[in-house]
């Protein structure tokens, strides 16, 4: 019998089960052939030196050696680490936000929209139209005093700042989050961004986006272009946007004519026209005066106005009581309608393009003639109401004055465009009546008459005699003219009055219908139509080629009729109106 003694077990590695597991793992040298050791070898001395500090920075939480609630209070190292980490994350966030922020390509519609300005023939303003009153002005046309008055009031460091005011943003964010409202402090760049790219919502997200775009815009656009854009898009009250319209609305002059005192008053409106328009209330007036004086003093402080110049401005520049830009009237609206239609057609503009505004339309309308024509038609309307009140109730009046060179000098479109938007001067609904007779007369004088079918033309003169009696049958070379219902066609005079034998000159002067109805048949209705069109009437308004054509069954507009008569005054030379 043999006694076997078992071998003594090897001692377990110190450190417990986790340490034993680690001891059984192959070393880094064994795993990668010594690459890790060789790579980290040079860093080992530094690692040993930093190890104690790393152990200190390593948060031990809850904190050892403390009792109760003190165990849960972070140490100053933990506080410092948290603050530094927060700043690092914030910096990374801002850098990323700046990188991904793009300057919008589409501007706000209202920020680019301008009004259209219409002028009388003498160059004075007639009317302005558009959703907003704005006329963009290049910076070179805005005097330095005006620019620096605005900068002194809003952002005197504009040319040196990065496009944003950290202090102003912080204050605005605090007010927005803490109290639900906002406070000023934005730079002009920020205000410009808000005007043309964003909205007016007072939110943290909008304020942050505004700051990012402002920073990027300041790096990509010159300061002068930003200032120019700001001056042309800011609201100044009285329905006006931009410094040009503000100058006209408050002082009745262009911005180029403003002095430093007037500029300071307008600059004060940027803080809020509802509070600083001096014409609205006594309190407003007091605030406006104080801010006007403060802005002038600021201009002196930043060396943009000398003390001697400042001393000249001791009296507040009182603005006009009301906005003179709102000057459309009863007839000017009809004029604007005609001018805008012509401008769009002549310049090949769509309605959308035209409505964006910015156009200046110089018209041929003569203010004195317009007033005279309006007075004449108004007098005729009153007389018609007295003579025939029943018919006058449904009467429509349109009138026009056209020069021989085609200039439309005046029109009467109706009693008031705001109550009757339909422009009677350009309407093609009323028969010309006896006013058409000169075109029949001109056709006869030009082409002569044909008494036999295919025979030579016989000349017609003002002394040619025709039958002026009422009810005279209309004839052709073959005999009476029969209409489609099988009845003979006869001509009738106003009031069924007969004149006997009468010359064409006298018949035209007395507006006798029967001679001209026959003259039209003798000349040829095709020639009558051709002469009327050559004089300026539109083919679409002339109507069917029947004997009634000579008595004015055509329905040309008042403008076209005046244009046709202008052709006679121009010795037969027609110019399009």
């Amino acid at each position: 019998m043999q006694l076997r003694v078992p071998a003594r077990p090897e001692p377990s590695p110190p450190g417990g089960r986790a340490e034993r597991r680690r001891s059984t793992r192959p070393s880094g040298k064994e795993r990668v052939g010594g690459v890790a050791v060789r790579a980290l070898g040079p860093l080992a001395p530094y690692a040993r030196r930093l190890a104690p500090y790393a152990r200190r920075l390593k948060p031990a939480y809850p904190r050892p050696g403390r009792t109760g609630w003190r165990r849960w209070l972070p140490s100053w190292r933990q506080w410092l680490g948290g603050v530094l980490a927060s700043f690092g994350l914030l910096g990374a966030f801002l850098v990323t936000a700046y990188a991904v922020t793009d300057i919008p390509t589409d501007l706000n519609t209202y920020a680019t929209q301008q009004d259209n300005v219409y002028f009388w023939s003498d160059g004075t303003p007639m009317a302005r139209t558009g959703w907003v009153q704005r006329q963009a002005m290049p910076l070179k046309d805005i005097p330095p005093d005006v620019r620096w008055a605005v900068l002194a009031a809003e952002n005197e460091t504009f040319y040196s700042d990065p496009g944003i005011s950290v202090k102003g943003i912080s204050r605005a964010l605090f007010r927005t989050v803490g109290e639900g409202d906002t406070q000023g402090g934005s730079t002009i760049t920020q205000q410009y961004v808000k005007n043309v790219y964003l909205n007016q919502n007072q939110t943290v997200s909008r304020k942050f986006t505004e700051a990012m775009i402002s920073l990027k815009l300041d790096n990509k656009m010159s300061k002068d272009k930003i200032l120019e854009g700001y001056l042309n898009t800011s609201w100044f009250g009285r329905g006006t946007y931009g410094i040009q319209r503000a100058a006209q609305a408050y002082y009745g002059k262009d911005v180029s004519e403003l002095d430093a005192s007037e500029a300071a008053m307008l600059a004060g409106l940027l803080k809020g026209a509802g509070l600083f328009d001096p014409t609205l209330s006594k309190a407003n007036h007091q605030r406006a005066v104080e801010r006007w004086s403060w802005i002038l003093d600021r201009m002196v402080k930043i060396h943009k106005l000398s003390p001697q110049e400042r001393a000249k401005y001791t009296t507040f520049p009182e603005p006009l009581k009301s906005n003179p830009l709102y000057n459309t009237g009863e007839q000017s609206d009809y004029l604007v309608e005609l001018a805008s239609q012509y401008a769009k057609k002549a310049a090949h503009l769509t309605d959308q393009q035209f409505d964006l505004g910015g156009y200046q339309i110089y018209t041929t309308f003569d203010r004195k003639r317009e007033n005279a024509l309006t007075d004449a038609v108004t007098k005729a309307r009153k007389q018609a109401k007295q003579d025939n009140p029943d018919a006058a109730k449904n009467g429509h009046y349109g009138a026009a004055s056209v020069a021989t060179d085609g200039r439309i000098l005046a029109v009467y479109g109706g009693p008031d465009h705001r109550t009757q938007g339909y422009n009677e001067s350009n309407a093609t609904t009323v028969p010309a009546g006896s006013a058409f007779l000169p075109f029949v007369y001109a056709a006869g004088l030009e082409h002569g008459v044909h008494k036999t079918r295919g025979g030579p033309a016989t000349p017609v003169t003002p002394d040619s005699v025709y039958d002026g009696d009422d009810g005279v049958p209309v004839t052709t070379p073959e005999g009476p003219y029969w209409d489609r219902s099988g009845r003979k066609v006869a001509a009738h005079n106003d009031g069924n009055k007969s004149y006997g034998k009468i010359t064409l000159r006298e018949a035209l002067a007395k507006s006798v219908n029967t001679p001209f109805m026959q003259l039209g048949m003798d000349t040829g209705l095709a020639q009558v139509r051709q002469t009327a069109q050559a004089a300026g009437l539109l083919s679409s308004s002339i109507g069917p080629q029947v004997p009634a054509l000579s008595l004015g069954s055509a329905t040309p507009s008042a403008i076209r009729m005046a244009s046709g008569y202008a052709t006679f005054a121009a010795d037969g030379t027609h110019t399009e109106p």
Side-chain angles (χ1 to χ4, degrees), residues 279-298:
T279 63
L280 298 182
S281 67
K282 290 184 178 179
N284 270 29
H285 192 278
Q286 181 178 349
R287 281 191 292 265
V289 172
E290 291 174 355
R291 187 155 179 81
W292 161 79
S293 180
W294 177 82
I295 292 173
L296 289 174
D297 292 341
R298 294 290 296 177

Side-chain angles (χ1 to χ4, degrees), residues 125-461:
M126 180 180 73
R128 292 175 173 84
T129 63
W131 291 106
V132 299
Q133 292 186 4
R134 177 188 290 116
Q135 180 184 351
M137 296 292 290
L139 191 65
K140 63 181 180 62
D141 293 337
I142 301 175
D145 280 346
V146 178
R147 301 182 219 168
W148 282 105
V150 171
L151 293 176
E154 295 293 307
N155 185 191
E156 65 184 53
T157 61
F158 169 73
Y159 279 100
S160 59
D161 66 40
I164 64 170
S165 168
V166 176
K167 180 179 178 181
I169 292 175
S170 301
R171 183 168 60 248
L173 289 175
F174 173 75
R175 299 276 293 183
T176 302
V177 175
E179 301 182 22
D181 60 359
T182 59
Q183 184 172 324
S186 297
T187 65
I188 278 181
T189 305
Q190 289 175 256
Q191 295 180 52
Y192 174 64
V193 167
K194 180 176 64 175
N195 288 344
V196 302
Y197 296 122
L198 305 175
N199 53 48
Q200 304 299 314
N201 295 339
Q202 305 292 1
T203 62
V204 174
S205 60
R206 200 275 297 155
K207 200 71 179 176
F208 179 77
T209 303
E210 171 193 301
M212 291 296 103
I213 296 177
S214 298
L215 282 170
K216 186 156 285 190
L217 190 71
D218 194 75
N219 288 328
K220 292 190 174 183
M221 185 183 292
S222 70
K223 290 286 190 178
D224 281 349
K225 292 301 293 183
I226 294 174
L227 180 59
E228 177 183 300
Y230 174 75
L231 292 173
N232 284 318
T233 57
S234 295
W235 183 65
F236 286 84
R238 295 194 177 185
T240 61
Y241 288 82
I243 191 68
Q244 167 71 348
R245 282 290 177 265
Q248 295 169 338
Y250 287 90
Y251 290 107
K253 60 178 69 173
D254 288 338
V255 64
S256 60
E257 302 171 2
L258 295 175
D259 59 28
S261 178
E262 294 163 336
M265 201 292 292
L266 293 179
L269 298 172
L270 292 168
K271 194 172 181 64
L275 295 174
F276 292 90
D277 182 345
T279 63
L280 298 182
S281 67
K282 290 184 178 179
N284 270 29
H285 192 278
Q286 181 178 349
R287 281 191 292 265
V289 172
E290 291 174 355
R291 187 155 179 81
W292 161 79
S293 180
W294 177 82
I295 292 173
L296 289 174
D297 292 341
R298 294 290 296 177
M299 293 179 68
V300 175
K301 183 178 179 180
I302 61 177
H303 308 294
K304 297 303 177 183
L305 191 68
S306 69
Q308 294 76 19
E309 291 174 313
R310 172 66 179 92
K312 294 189 303 182
Y313 303 125
T314 57
T315 303
F316 181 71
E318 298 289 349
L320 301 173
K321 295 298 182 183
S322 61
N323 186 351
L325 300 180
Y326 290 111
N327 60 354
T328 55
E330 294 179 351
Q331 287 303 310
S332 62
D333 290 342
Y334 294 111
L335 307 183
V336 165
E337 178 186 274
L338 287 173
S340 62
Q341 291 173 352
Y342 184 87
K344 285 184 282 189
K345 182 179 179 181
H348 306 290
L349 296 171
T350 65
D351 290 340
Q352 183 179 14
Q353 290 172 323
F354 192 76
D355 287 344
L356 285 176
Y359 297 100
Q360 299 185 32
I361 299 95
Y362 292 85
T363 75
T364 58
F365 300 127
D366 185 293
R367 189 198 297 264
K368 292 182 179 179
R369 291 176 182 267
E370 179 64 33
N371 292 335
L373 182 61
T374 301
D375 292 343
V377 177
T378 301
K379 183 178 179 181
R381 292 175 71 99
K382 291 180 179 179
Q383 188 64 42
K385 289 181 180 180
Q386 295 176 1
D387 298 343
N388 194 345
D390 292 335
K393 289 180 180 179
N394 299 318
H396 291 265
Y397 295 77
S401 174
V402 179
T404 57
D405 58 3
R407 288 177 295 121
I408 302 178
L409 303 177
V411 301
Y412 181 89
D416 189 339
H417 192 275
R418 288 161 287 194
T419 57
Q420 178 190 299
Y422 193 66
N423 191 340
E424 298 287 358
S425 71
N426 204 30
T428 57
T429 55
V430 180
S434 297
F436 192 81
L437 299 183
F439 300 107
V440 182
Y441 191 20
L445 293 174
E446 181 180 5
H447 300 287
V449 298
H450 295 267
K451 293 299 184 181
T452 60
R453 188 71 64 190
T458 302
V460 170
T461 69

Side-chain angles (χ1 to χ4, degrees), residues 468-491:
D469 287 340
D470 183 68
V472 175
V474 176
T475 61
T476 68
E478 289 79 18
Y481 181 90
W482 302 80
D483 62 19
R484 292 185 178 182
S485 63
R487 292 179 297 182
K488 290 182 180 180
V489 175

